[in-house]
Amino acid sequence: MSHDVHFLERLARVAEGQVQLALSLYRDPALLKEVLSSASLPESSERVAISMADPVEGPFIVVTREGKFVTCLGAGMRTHDLPVVTRAKLDAVASRLEVLRERIDLARQVTENGQEPEMLPVWRKVVWESEAISREDVAMLAVWLPVMRPMLYDFMVRMSRPNRAVREKFAREKGDLDQRRKLMVDFARVIFAHAPIISLLLSDPAELSRLFVEGEEYLPTAVRFLIAEGTIDLLLRTRVATANGVARGGKPYVSILKHAPPVKVVTEFYLMAIGLAHEKLRAEIAKSLADDAALEALGTEEMHQRMLKYAQDSVWSSFAKGAPEFAAPYGSADKLPEHLALALLLNTGALTTDEDIEEALYPMLPMAVKLPPEDLFLPQELLEAHGKPDEESLCHFAERHVEALHVRRKREPVVTQAKPGRNEPCPCGSGKKYKKCCGRGDE
């Protein structure tokens, strides 16, 4: 009797609802392959049990490490010494694969029949209308990331210096009102563009390093530059999106953060993000934290559910009032999906400082690090229902941002950085040597 026949006969051991889950996995070899590759099985294990409910009581699907279905174990049947993939792990992998499939399908749709690549309107939106970036826009950026990665990094580098100049100028003087208004609107739009760009660029360290002639040698400089931009930006969404990108990048960023930290509290925030996303790195990361138990506490399912409830309760009232036609299908705060609750919370334009990290940002990490970047943004229809900020709102946002930065700068100690060598990477993040960039003209 073949393994497959034996497996299908043993489906009678599990409840009807779980039969459908077992069959869906049976019919999806790509999903099973992804589940097994992410499970990090011991070399001695030839089989693995995949839990369909409780990780101890089951029921379980038993498969070989090559992906052949062996049998089903009903609830209460023992797995003995088989390694177990939990239902939570199965759901997380399925969610990631679904996102990937959506992106592949999206890429196929926009390239067939000679259709003009839709990355161009999205790129124009990033540059000129970033306050209205939607979930669909970020998903499209993710689809075209292999093509657009150099453009996105170049945008970050080119905008960092002008933005610093604007911050300095308007923190000190009022200037011409019309000119001030234009600059502040442009400044606000660059700030709104940071979140999707930084998250996507940081999500793949290997591809990020390929942007530079020096390759992996320049990666720490590029990563520190992107994290610094995401940290200087006080927009709540940008900081959460930066944490999302750092978490997705994973292990290569641990040593970069530990050896060249921006600010201790900020470093710990991003290390916590990596630890929550990568269970195998938690022990190493916990040693670098002031409170080594905080990471474990934040990573529990109980804390996850508590923070989800906080997000749901925080946004429900304004959501139900501002977009009743979208809120009606959910009926109550506790029915609001996790990704939508977090996107609504991040869509407020709220600012945060380093002092707020533990209170305002830590609670979002358990949700934010497990979602794809596009889930930090509202769907297009809902964004249109809310209405995008007008120029007056953008100016007000920029004013608050500059003032908050000015206040923070007064509190921070002055740190003198050593001047880089002429042949060392320029700290501005351009990817060029110092002598050919900011050090041009230095003797």
Side-chain angles (χ1 to χ4, degrees), residues 41-58:
L41 302 177
E43 290 186 9
S44 59
S45 298
E46 294 299 324
R47 296 180 178 183
V48 59
I50 301 174
S51 172
M52 291 186 282
D54 187 273
V56 177
E57 296 297 323

Side-chain angles (χ1 to χ4, degrees), residues 259-272:
H259 292 103
V263 180
K264 183 172 178 57
V265 67
V266 174
T267 300
E268 292 202 348
F269 173 65
Y270 293 127
L271 285 172
M272 290 273 275

